[in-house]
Structures are given as structure tokens and as C-alpha cells.
Amino acid sequence: SALRSSDGRDIVFVFQNGRAERRAVSVASTQNNETLVSSGLTAGEKIILEAPSTLADGASVSEEKKP
């Protein structure tokens, strides 16, 4: 899951110019395997979906496009 909890806040990592950017988000609802984020992201931003638990803010990452 892209959504994580850190220091009591919900966060995701966004792919930004070859780096992972940690972003606090607000979750509106979760149902089955879908989560609706109500704030903290902008339309079109690329979320890092399968990141290792050790991923840190500012880490160098590369984009892998899936078919």
C-alpha cells in the first residue's frame, strides 16, 4: 500500500524530479482496497506505490512504468 502511518499521521511518498517526497495526507474514507485522499495531493502527482519500508524523504528513486 502507498499509504503509511508515521508519527500518528497518514503519509505517502510522491515521485518528484527523481526523488521521493514524503507528503502528509488526509484520508476521507477507506473501503475494501481503495482509499480516498481528501487533501495533501495535487491531481496528476505520481505516488510511489511499492516502496520499501526504509524509503526516506529525499531519497533518489527511478520511475518504473507498468504496462
Side-chain angles (χ1 to χ4, degrees), residues 40-60:
L41 297 172
T42 302
E45 288 186 307
K46 296 177 183 178
I47 304 303
I48 299 174
L49 297 176
E50 298 175 13
S53 61
T54 56
L55 184 64
D57 189 35
S60 180

Side-chain angles (χ1 to χ4, degrees), residues 27-42:
V27 174
S29 65
T30 301
Q31 186 174 20
N32 300 322
N33 287 334
E34 295 185 9
T35 300
L36 177 62
V37 173
S38 58
S39 67
L41 297 172
T42 302

